[in-house]
Amino acid sequence: MSSKNSNKLNVPQARAAMDKFKMEAANEVGVNLKEGYNGDLTSREAGSVGGQMVKNTLPVRKTKFERESRTDEGHQLIVKYVARLE
């Protein structure tokens, strides 16, 4: 079975910007990422870099539910949404 590599940028000119972004994300999580081959990284280190990149790219949504009492008549439901867009 042949495998299809989907790890290609849609805009090849964006390679330098993506490499810079990856280095910044690695620096934020304390991973020693170097130019070129990084096969000596553990899966956890590599995953933390990717996770940091996703965290910085996508908005964060948190939901918080608070209820005074579930059994009282007319109980309150407070919903708080927190979002971060960059």
Side-chain angles (χ1 to χ4, degrees):
M1 175 192 271
S2 66
S3 64
K4 183 177 180 182
N5 184 3
S6 63
N7 191 16
K8 296 186 181 185
L9 292 174
N10 290 332
V11 182
Q13 296 82 0
R15 172 67 57 199
M18 287 302 292
D19 288 342
K20 180 180 177 193
F21 180 46
K22 187 186 329 178
M23 291 297 219
E24 290 172 0
N27 194 22
E28 287 177 14
V29 293
V31 173
N32 187 19
L33 195 64
K34 56 188 175 292
E35 294 290 331
Y37 180 71
N38 285 288
D40 57 337
L41 292 180
T42 65
S43 297
R44 174 173 273 192
E45 290 172 328
S48 66
V49 173
Q52 187 68 19
M53 290 174 72
V54 170
K55 183 179 175 183
N56 289 340
T57 303
L58 301 175
V60 174
R61 284 180 245 156
K62 294 181 182 177
T63 306
K64 181 178 180 183
F65 294 98
E66 296 177 7
R67 292 186 180 200
E68 289 183 6
S69 173
R70 294 188 68 127
T71 58
D72 288 345
E73 185 175 326
H75 65 269
Q76 285 188 322
L77 173 65
I78 300 170
V79 180
K80 181 179 179 182
Y81 293 97
V82 178
R84 181 184 77 180
L85 300 174
E86 292 184 11

